[in-house]
Amino acid sequence: MAKPTIHIFALGGTIAMVPDQHGGARPALSATDIIAAAPGIDDLANIHAHDFRSVASANLSFEDLIDLAKEVNALLSDGADGVVVTQGTDVLEESAFALDLMVDGGAAIFTGAMRHSGLEGSDGPANLANAVRLAATIERPVAGALVVMNGEIHAPSQVRKVHTSSFGAFASAENGPLGRIDGTGVEWARSIPQTPNISPGSISGIARIAYYAAVMDDRSAILQTIADGDFDGLVVAAFGGGHVAEETADLLAAMTGNMPIVLASRTGAGRILENVYAYKGAEIDLISRGLIPARNLDARKSRVFLTLALGAGWSLAEIRTVFSKF
Ligand code: ASP
């Protein structure tokens, strides 16, 4: 049987880093170098290497991700069997979700490394091999992205980086991984969640979405700066099930006339409540004053969705409907 064709896009990150003369790691490896460090993946697929970016992931932009999605979609519609993206783990939960929204007609498998190649037990080669293995063998219909780290497969809409340095830094707190993968095969635990599709070609600009995280006794100074700023929307990482202080609630309510405001939680798991607490600043109050509940989508991923949807010209009604299904 012919080997599948898999394209590997390297964006930088620890998986592409080597120590400099002082021992600190910086991006340096090309896609070909990263592939060469994972012997045996040529047996799994015909590999095509793409040097897309070479950055620490904090420097990735929405423009980068839209360009990447366009290239991935073009390859998948041209008959490629799968795509693997290697990048830094710091923003991987956001970039993989962006591609999950924009990729159509196949799967983009995201992976990275928690230990660079100069450290003992570097996990990049094993993560890359598992990502290629999944891209080459996946039988489930996927239109979007998946994350493979530490032998686990995660849904981009659910996974978060939850540890600064552990091999097991990625977790889907609500339901656990979608499955596990190693040299012996894939074991699925549950089905892949469906996410909406936003065609990258339909995105005509990058909406500026502010991100405000509620903290105790902050007296709304930062939120006021956002209200006075030039933003197209706001995502609130609220306390608990969707709660803020009374003063914050009044300011948010005043801001809803100027921009869509999404109500998400800072907790990291669980659905935004909609009908439990009625006090001023609680979810019933905030939703009745125009905030859009993010349901199960966390605040950072809500910002990714709102940025792309507004950039693609989606109406507020469409955006509300999609949030009601997350
Ligand atoms: N700072 C790195 C980055 O995100 C961390 C990593 O790749 O794990 O680029």
Side-chain angles (χ1 to χ4, degrees):
M1 211 173 75
K3 283 195 286 188
T5 300
I6 304 295
H7 293 261
I8 299 181
F9 285 79
L11 275 60
T14 294
I15 194 166
M17 292 193 194
V18 291
D20 65 15
Q21 69 272 31
H22 305 294
R26 298 166 185 270
L29 302 179
S30 67
T32 307
D33 296 332
I34 295 168
I35 292 161
I41 63 171
D42 284 345
D43 299 337
L44 301 169
N46 292 317
I47 305 284
H48 297 261
H50 302 256
D51 289 307
F52 187 77
R53 300 286 184 273
S54 181
V55 295
S57 67
N59 300 298
L60 289 172
S61 66
F62 280 107
E63 286 90 343
D64 291 329
L65 300 177
I66 292 164
D67 288 349
L68 178 62
K70 286 177 181 169
E71 287 199 32
V72 169
N73 285 347
L75 288 167
L76 290 172
S77 76
D78 255 16
D81 294 295
V83 169
V84 169
V85 179
T86 65
Q87 68 153 85
T89 62
D90 287 351
V91 309
L92 195 147
E93 65 193 60
E94 289 161 87
S95 53
F97 182 56
L99 271 283
D100 195 33
L101 294 169
M102 292 189 284
V103 166
D104 205 7
I109 314 291
F110 277 69
T111 195
M114 296 303 297
R115 304 271 199 288
H116 62 72
S117 59
L119 293 174
E120 199 173 307
S122 171
D123 52 335
N127 286 339
L128 180 60
N130 279 335
V132 170
R133 197 169 278 128
L134 183 63
T137 59
I138 193 161
E139 277 162 5
R140 299 185 169 205
V142 190
L146 292 167
V147 173
V148 169
M149 288 290 290
N150 196 35
E152 295 181 344
I153 306 165
H154 292 274
S157 60
Q158 298 169 357
V159 75
R160 290 165 65 118
K161 186 176 183 181
V162 297
H163 196 281
T164 56
S165 59
S166 167
F167 288 128
F170 282 77
S172 301
E174 185 78 356
N175 299 304
L178 294 175
R180 294 180 195 284
I181 180 162
D182 59 24
T184 66
V186 184
E187 200 178 318
W188 292 98
R190 56 197 178 87
S191 55
I192 298 170
Q194 298 301 304
T195 45
N197 185 259
I198 303 176
S199 166
S202 70
I203 300 170
S204 57
I206 307 300
R208 291 195 65 216
I209 308 300
Y211 182 98
Y212 165 72
V215 287
M216 196 186 84
D217 198 21
D218 83 337
R219 316 224 172 162
S220 300
I222 289 174
L223 190 59
Q224 186 62 58
T225 308
I226 294 170
D228 297 339
D230 182 22
F231 291 101
D232 303 306
L234 167 66
V235 172
V236 179
F239 298 119
H243 310 142
V244 297
E246 294 184 3
E247 179 187 332
T248 308
D250 285 336
L251 183 48
L252 287 171
M255 292 167 72
T256 54
N258 300 330
M259 62 179 87
I261 304 182
V262 176
L263 180 64
S265 172
R266 69 175 198 168
T267 59
R271 186 185 298 182
I272 283 293
L273 304 176
E274 296 193 26
N275 53 14
V276 178
Y277 294 102
Y279 60 83
K280 185 173 176 183
E283 82 279 359
I284 292 176
D285 174 43
L286 295 173
I287 293 167
S288 75
R289 294 208 268 173
L291 273 73
I292 303 166
R295 282 196 40 114
N296 288 290
L297 208 58
D298 81 12
R300 294 191 283 266
K301 295 179 204 296
S302 295
R303 179 175 166 274
V304 170
F305 171 68
L306 190 59
T307 302
L308 298 179
L310 285 177
W314 288 25
S315 71
L316 214 48
E318 288 172 304
I319 288 170
R320 260 185 193 283
T321 303
V322 170
F323 269 115
S324 74
K325 293 177 185 155
F326 274 121

